């Protein structure tokens, strides 16, 4: 009786221990399930036991500056093309040169040296494919007649027009050989109304003083500019006013000097402004430089000279709407 009871008690105890073990295993499984579900919710990767396969080599760290962006930025393209006037027609255009030398019968002196300017302008503009025509010693009425004649011509088969006036002048005007002034505004207005020159450059170069004042040099840090010109110079009389530039588009007017001052002309070698203009046009046009850059060089060189103790500062006014690059053969 006693032994039987003892064996039954042991088997019952073993059963109780197995139940406790099963209960503890179940609770562990539940905790593992809970942890796995929580890890999935938080996107935490489950633990993967290490295998006996070959170890991966660690790649060396790279600086972030060498790593290309996943979305590379587009490079900004900057256009360097210039919108230029067409200069393809041959002949390129008419070039009128009015050369007033003889002022006898007036209080004005003859313009010695002007023929050198005329010859050099003729050569330069012929090399630019212009059809050059020269008119010498025109009185005021004749100047207006010639200007009107050129303004009424058919320029439809040409790309530009040039007019060079070499004369005495006074404020707002150039003078005929009879001493009578012709307003600059009248000259430009005639070409502003020319339909076959619409949207084409109309260029005027005028050699004349702008008044009777002598322009003096200004002291700079290391003294006066050293450039000097030797020889016999004459001063033009009165003015050809730059403020007379017509407001319509596609005009350019280059004047020998700023308003209120004299310009200078050598009695043999021609005027300072026209001679430098011809030189810079020949060199600059062959390098495909635009007219604004060329005239800026003319201003710089002429203004650096000392002429009979005075200075000369050319002036350019323009209403060009495109870049102007004149051809040169």
């Amino acid at each position: 009786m006693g032994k039987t009871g003892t064996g039954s008690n042991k088997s019952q105890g073993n059963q109780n221990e197995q139940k406790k073990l099963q209960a503890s295993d179940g609770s562990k499984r539940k905790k593992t399930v809970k942890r796995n579900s929580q890890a999935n919710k938080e996107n935490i990767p489950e633990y993967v036991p290490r295998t006996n396969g070959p170890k991966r080599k660690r790649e060396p760290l790279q600086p972030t500056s060498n790593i290309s962006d996943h979305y590379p930025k587009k490079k900004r393209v900057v256009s360097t093309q210039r919108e230029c006037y067409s200069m393809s027609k041959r002949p390129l255009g008419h070039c009128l040169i009015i050369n007033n030398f003889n002022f006898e019968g007036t209080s004005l002196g003859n313009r010695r040296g002007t023929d050198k300017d005329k010859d050099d302008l003729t050569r330069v503009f012929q090399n630019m494919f212009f059809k050059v025509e020269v008119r010498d010693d025109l009185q005021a009425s004749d100047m207006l007649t010639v200007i009107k004649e050129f303004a009424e011509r058919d320029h439809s088969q040409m790309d530009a027009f040039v007019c060079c006036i070499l004369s005495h002048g006074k404020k707002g005007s150039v003078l005929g050989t009879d001493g009578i002034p012709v307003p600059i505004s009248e000259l430009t207005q005639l070409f502003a109304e020319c339909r076959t020159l619409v949207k084409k450059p109309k260029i005027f170069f005028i050699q004349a003083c702008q008044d009777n004042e002598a322009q003096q040099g200004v002291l700079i840090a290391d003294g006066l500019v050293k450039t000097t010109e030797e020889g016999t110079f004459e001063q033009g009389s009165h003015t050809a006013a730059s403020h007379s530039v017509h407001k319509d588009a596609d005009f350019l007017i280059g004047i020998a000097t700023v308003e209120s001052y004299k310009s200078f002309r050598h009695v043999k070698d021609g005027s300072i402004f026209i001679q430098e203009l011809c030189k810079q046009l020949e060199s600059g046009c062959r390098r495909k430089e635009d007219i604004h850059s060329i005239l800026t060089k003319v201003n710089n060189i002429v203004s650096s000279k000392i002429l009979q103790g005075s200075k000369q500062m050319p002036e350019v006014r323009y209403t060009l709407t495109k870049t102007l690059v004149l051809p040169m053969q």
Side-chain angles (χ1 to χ4, degrees):
M1 293 290 292
K3 288 181 182 178
T4 306
T6 303
S8 63
N9 287 337
K10 285 183 179 179
S11 62
Q12 189 175 356
N14 290 334
Q15 290 175 0
N16 289 336
E17 286 179 5
Q18 288 177 357
K19 287 179 180 180
K20 286 179 181 180
L21 290 172
Q22 288 175 358
S24 63
D25 290 340
S27 63
K28 286 180 180 179
R29 285 174 189 159
K30 287 180 181 179
K31 287 180 181 178
T32 304
V33 170
K34 284 182 181 179
R35 286 174 184 168
N36 290 340
S37 63
Q38 187 175 358
N40 289 335
K41 288 179 181 179
E42 296 177 359
N43 295 324
I44 300 174
E46 294 184 32
Y47 172 75
V48 179
R50 184 178 294 178
T51 61
N52 294 327
K55 292 182 179 180
R56 288 182 59 189
K57 290 184 179 180
R58 276 191 179 179
E59 296 291 335
L61 294 176
Q62 296 181 1
T64 56
S65 59
N66 294 337
I67 300 174
S68 60
D69 193 355
H70 184 66
Y71 297 101
K73 296 178 180 179
K74 293 182 179 180
K75 292 183 179 180
R76 186 179 177 184
V77 179
V78 179
S79 175
T80 57
Q81 292 184 346
R82 300 178 294 179
E83 187 179 7
C84 299
Y85 288 102
S86 173
M87 295 283 118
S88 60
K89 301 288 179 62
R90 298 293 182 268
L92 182 58
H94 291 292
C95 174
L96 169 64
I97 300 176
I98 295 177
N99 179 41
N100 287 344
F101 164 80
N102 189 352
F103 282 82
E104 294 179 4
T106 70
S107 60
L108 304 170
N110 291 342
R111 300 184 62 257
R112 294 182 297 169
T114 190
D115 287 342
K116 179 69 162 57
D117 290 343
K118 174 193 70 175
D119 294 340
D120 289 342
L121 286 170
T122 299
R123 183 191 72 254
V124 168
F125 284 104
Q126 282 179 342
N127 288 337
M128 288 182 185
F129 307 102
F130 281 91
K131 185 177 180 180
V132 179
E133 297 182 49
V134 178
R135 301 288 190 273
D136 289 312
D137 294 334
L138 299 183
Q139 295 185 352
S141 59
D142 296 328
M143 289 176 67
L144 281 170
T145 299
V146 169
I147 290 291
K148 187 176 180 182
E149 173 200 332
F150 275 79
E152 291 177 349
R153 289 187 181 184
D154 183 6
H155 302 264
S156 59
Q157 299 303 311
M158 298 181 176
D159 285 327
F161 172 76
V162 174
C163 179
C164 302
I165 300 177
L166 313 173
S167 187
H168 290 309
K170 65 180 183 180
K171 187 170 289 187
S173 305
V174 288
L175 302 183
T177 54
D178 51 2
I180 298 175
V182 178
I184 298 292
S185 59
E186 288 190 27
L187 304 181
T188 57
Q189 180 62 38
L190 290 169
F191 288 96
E193 296 173 356
C194 178
R195 293 185 178 182
T196 56
L197 281 174
V198 172
K199 296 184 179 180
K200 299 177 182 180
K202 297 162 277 287
I203 306 163
F204 289 77
F205 292 118
I206 299 175
Q207 169 57 43
C209 283
Q210 296 246 22
D211 217 327
N212 293 323
E213 294 183 33
Q215 190 173 9
Q216 300 301 318
V218 179
L219 286 171
I220 56 177
D222 57 351
L224 283 169
V225 177
K226 300 292 185 180
T227 306
T228 59
E229 290 289 327
E230 297 181 356
T232 304
F233 292 90
E234 292 183 350
Q235 302 163 2
S237 64
H238 307 301
T239 178
S242 61
H243 66 261
S244 300
V245 176
H246 198 271
K247 294 181 180 179
D248 285 357
D250 308 306
F251 275 88
L252 182 146
I253 297 185
I255 311 283
T257 185
V258 294
E259 190 172 352
S260 300
Y261 292 101
K262 299 174 182 179
S263 63
F264 290 86
R265 169 177 32 85
H266 195 279
V267 296
K268 291 183 179 179
D269 298 332
S271 63
I272 299 301
F273 172 65
I274 294 297
Q275 289 302 307
E276 193 60 44
L277 173 66
C278 291
K279 179 181 176 180
Q280 293 302 324
L281 283 173
E282 283 185 311
S283 60
C285 290
R286 287 195 175 98
R287 293 193 297 266
K288 309 297 182 185
E289 293 181 10
D290 65 90
I291 193 69
H292 183 266
S293 299
I294 291 171
L295 293 178
T296 299
K297 290 181 182 179
V298 173
N299 285 1
N300 181 39
I301 294 172
V302 173
S303 65
S304 71
K305 300 178 184 294
I306 300 174
L307 307 162
Q308 294 184 345
S310 298
K311 305 286 287 182
Q312 180 176 330
M313 180 71 242
E315 185 175 6
V316 180
R317 299 284 182 92
Y318 65 93
T319 58
L320 299 178
T321 57
K322 298 178 183 179
T323 302
L324 176 57
V325 180
L326 294 167
M328 177 69 72
Q329 62 181 1

